[in-house]
Amino acid sequence: MLSRLALHAAGALAPALKNAAPLAPGVLQASRIFHTASPHLAPLPPLPEHGGKIRHGLIPEEFFGFMYPKTGVTGPYVLGTGLILYFLSKEIYVITADTIAAVSTLGLLVYVAKKYGPTIAAFADKLREDQLAQAEAVKQASMKGISDAIELEKKQQALVAKRHYLFDVQRNNIAMTLEVYYRERLHKVYTEVKNRLDYHIAKQTMMRRKEQEHMISWVENHVMKSISAQEEKEAITKCISDLKVLAKKAQAQSQPVL
Amino acid sequence: MNENLFTPFICPSIMGVSTLPIIILFPCLIFSAPKRWLPNRMQILQIWLIRLITKQMMLMHNKLGRSWTLMLMSLILFIATTNLLGLLPYSFTPTTQLSMNLGMAIPLWMGTVVMGFRNKPKASLAHFLPQGTPTPLIPMLIIIETISLLIQPLALAVRLTANITAGHLLIHLIGSAALALMSISLALSSITFIILFLLTILEFAVALIQAYVFTLLVSLYLHDNT
């Protein structure tokens, strides 16, 4: 109602706003939030770690807190006892076979919950931890993969800086090989030239020897031809007489020793 | 409060309107699907349990049989939760009604049979004659096998109904015996109460086992026919 008053005052101040009269109810509702867009799905608000506190597995703690100022600590218990006795005595709740069955069933359920509850809760927590650990393992593996890639990249960059050693070694190798080839070819040239020269020398030597032999045989032949029979006889007799003289000399030389 | 022994088995109605649909739908409130990546304890346990049962049941089927996974899993979960919830005091169990169990058994069984006849008619007909029967026995055996086949849905439904109903009745009777003996002899009443306690444990087991048996048999019929 006060907002309508404010609207009226606004209309008095600005005549243009008087035409806004039909919109008044809508403006009244303007403070209401209409859900016009889909709700934000992420990030979800965090859930509380533990549920609300409960006493005796059924009654929330707030009930005891609600009654505490007026009735103290025993208030809810007195109320509960009174209610139960009222239902029983007035036979609003009748004890039948179902009651005994209820005692049996609910007693069994409470026993099982008290005995195996923590075990099952621990099992459920373990399942959840496993799920978390799986995702965490994926994340860690991915991170490790990326850090390994970074290490590899760094190593390769360091290797690139040392590449010039490799190039020097290769350059030296190639220079040595070229030198070896050059020397081989040089040696080959030398041997070839030597071969040719040796051939010429051999040819010359052979020619000289042939000429020599030819000359010697020619001279011998001519000398043999020039020696007549008479001269040959005379030469032979002279040789025999020389030999005889020599023999005598030898004999004479040997005798004086005696 | 209960005028006769079978009052727990009457469909409850509020002012003439049957509340049966609500009661049948009630167990699905227990199963909540996780909306977050890390579910809470209840959802984690349910997920783990359903995965365990699915793996156990559907491993033996081929591809065609596994298309029934959703159906069979919902079946076993429904029957198990309905039976277990029926053990609570003053509750109504829909599976004690033969009409409902027949409504579950007949369509499922007929689905498997029709599927078998559509996909592998020769193999389905061959199921009527076990291997190695002597020739004079064949006509009689075919009749027996046909009757055995036609009785399957009835057996499924009646088995579930009878087991659950009998269990509830026994609990009721022994409870009333314990109650009656309380005014006569407290010792005898305690003994009867102990018997009731053991029976309750049995009934919990029976509730789960019957669900399993029902689903397993349907799965078996499916396996025969796919």
Side-chain angles (χ1 to χ4, degrees):
Chain A
M1 197 189 99
L2 284 170
S3 51
R4 263 187 234 139
L5 211 62
L7 270 174
H8 189 72
L13 281 172
L17 279 179
K18 273 210 183 121
N19 300 334
L23 294 172
V27 175
L28 197 64
Q29 312 286 333
S31 53
R32 293 238 189 110
I33 302 167
F34 289 111
H35 297 279
T36 47
S38 62
H40 290 275
L41 288 171
L44 284 173
L47 286 172
E49 182 80 19
H50 297 284
K53 290 193 75 56
I54 297 175
R55 225 190 267 202
H56 306 302
L58 274 177
I59 306 150
E61 195 64 41
E62 283 91 9
F63 183 66
F64 291 84
F66 168 70
M67 296 195 78
Y68 180 77
K70 293 287 186 292
T71 54
V73 179
T74 53
Y77 293 105
V78 172
L79 175 67
T81 316
L83 268 177
I84 289 171
L85 286 174
Y86 168 66
F87 287 137
L88 282 173
S89 65
K90 284 263 190 183
E91 298 247 308
I92 295 174
Y93 177 72
V94 182
I95 297 193
T96 57
D98 280 326
T99 316
I100 314 285
V103 169
S104 166
T105 309
L106 293 176
L108 180 69
L109 283 174
V110 166
Y111 170 72
V112 167
K114 281 253 158 25
K115 185 139 189 262
Y116 297 110
T119 324
I120 297 176
F123 178 69
D125 285 340
K126 192 173 96 58
L127 286 174
R128 171 193 262 237
E129 288 306 312
D130 287 344
Q131 192 177 347
L132 257 179
Q134 222 177 4
E136 186 72 27
V138 167
K139 185 175 100 167
Q140 290 298 330
S142 158
M143 273 166 53
K144 185 170 179 307
I146 291 175
S147 68
D148 282 347
I150 292 174
E151 289 296 319
L152 189 68
E153 184 65 31
K154 280 201 185 131
K155 271 194 211 141
Q156 289 189 333
Q157 277 177 354
L159 280 177
V160 163
K162 297 181 193 143
R163 252 187 341 180
H164 65 278
Y165 288 128
L166 192 68
F167 295 157
D168 283 341
V169 164
Q170 281 178 339
R171 234 177 267 136
N172 285 343
N173 270 354
I174 289 170
M176 273 198 290
T177 321
L178 284 174
E179 184 72 22
V180 163
Y181 282 154
Y182 172 69
R183 289 204 185 161
E184 258 181 33
R185 290 212 303 265
L186 209 60
H187 182 72
K188 204 168 168 189
V189 161
Y190 168 77
T191 34
E192 283 289 307
V193 165
K194 190 157 164 305
N195 266 350
R196 304 246 160 85
L197 291 175
D198 282 343
Y199 167 73
H200 284 300
I201 289 171
K203 198 168 87 167
Q204 236 175 24
T205 327
M206 189 202 69
M207 287 298 288
R208 275 219 198 110
R209 201 167 36 130
K210 281 275 185 260
E211 285 172 0
Q212 237 178 13
E213 281 175 6
H214 182 258
M215 244 187 341
I216 291 170
S217 60
W218 188 82
V219 162
E220 277 182 1
N221 281 341
H222 273 276
V223 164
M224 293 296 286
K225 280 185 201 159
S226 74
I227 300 177
S228 57
Q230 180 68 22
E231 278 179 352
E232 202 172 338
K233 254 188 213 172
E234 280 180 15
I236 288 173
T237 40
K238 190 163 190 294
C239 284
I240 289 171
S241 63
D242 278 338
L243 276 169
K244 277 183 185 166
V245 167
L246 278 169
K248 273 186 189 160
K249 265 195 194 163
Q251 250 182 357
Q253 269 182 354
S254 65
Q255 267 185 347
V257 174
L258 291 167
Chain B
M1 195 161 138
N2 293 335
E3 52 267 24
N4 66 17
L5 202 52
F6 293 98
T7 322
F9 302 117
I10 300 175
C11 287
S13 54
I14 299 178
M15 294 197 290
V17 178
S18 166
T19 54
L20 198 57
I22 305 173
I23 295 173
I24 291 180
L25 284 174
F26 177 69
C28 75
L29 289 176
I30 301 178
F31 299 106
S32 50
K35 288 191 187 55
R36 293 162 184 254
W37 178 59
L38 277 175
N40 57 24
R41 276 178 182 166
M42 184 87 162
Q43 289 161 353
I44 274 196
L45 286 171
Q46 281 167 8
I47 289 170
W48 170 79
L49 199 66
I50 293 172
R51 275 204 190 132
L52 187 73
I53 302 173
T54 313
K55 266 191 249 178
Q56 166 82 6
M57 283 225 154
M58 304 312 293
L59 264 179
M60 62 163 157
H61 288 117
N62 57 13
K63 191 157 173 279
L64 190 57
R66 281 187 196 166
S67 63
W68 279 58
T69 306
L70 193 58
M71 183 73 229
L72 292 175
M73 285 308 115
S74 4
L75 189 69
I76 188 173
L77 284 175
F78 172 68
I79 299 178
T81 41
T82 313
N83 291 349
L84 284 172
L85 281 172
L87 286 168
L88 294 172
Y90 303 108
S91 59
F92 170 73
T93 326
T95 42
T96 53
Q97 310 297 309
L98 184 63
S99 52
M100 182 171 128
N101 293 340
L102 276 172
M104 285 196 296
I106 292 185
L108 288 171
W109 165 83
M110 194 168 286
T112 61
V113 166
V114 166
M115 200 158 144
F117 274 110
R118 270 176 62 187
N119 295 341
K120 308 201 291 193
K122 255 192 278 184
S124 298
L125 281 171
H127 279 128
F128 283 131
L129 193 64
Q131 244 180 349
T133 49
T135 323
L137 280 173
I138 289 181
M140 198 187 66
L141 208 59
I142 299 240
I143 296 175
I144 290 177
E145 287 287 330
T146 314
I147 296 175
S148 145
L149 178 76
L150 292 173
I151 257 210
Q152 277 174 351
L154 221 73
L156 272 175
V158 171
R159 183 186 301 113
L160 186 58
T161 315
N163 269 299
I164 307 296
T165 316
H168 285 234
L169 268 175
L170 265 175
I171 289 180
H172 205 264
L173 283 168
I174 297 184
S176 63
L179 189 62
L181 281 171
M182 243 192 246
S183 47
I184 299 173
S185 153
L186 210 57
L188 277 175
S189 179
S190 319
I191 294 173
T192 321
F193 186 76
I194 290 173
I195 296 177
L196 180 63
F197 193 71
L198 294 171
L199 187 67
T200 314
I201 299 174
L202 179 68
E203 281 312 307
F204 270 96
V206 165
L208 295 166
I209 289 170
Q210 285 307 313
Y212 177 64
V213 163
F214 195 100
T215 315
L216 190 69
L217 282 171
V218 173
S219 139
L220 228 60
Y221 301 151
L222 184 68
H223 187 67
D224 281 339
N225 283 315
T226 51

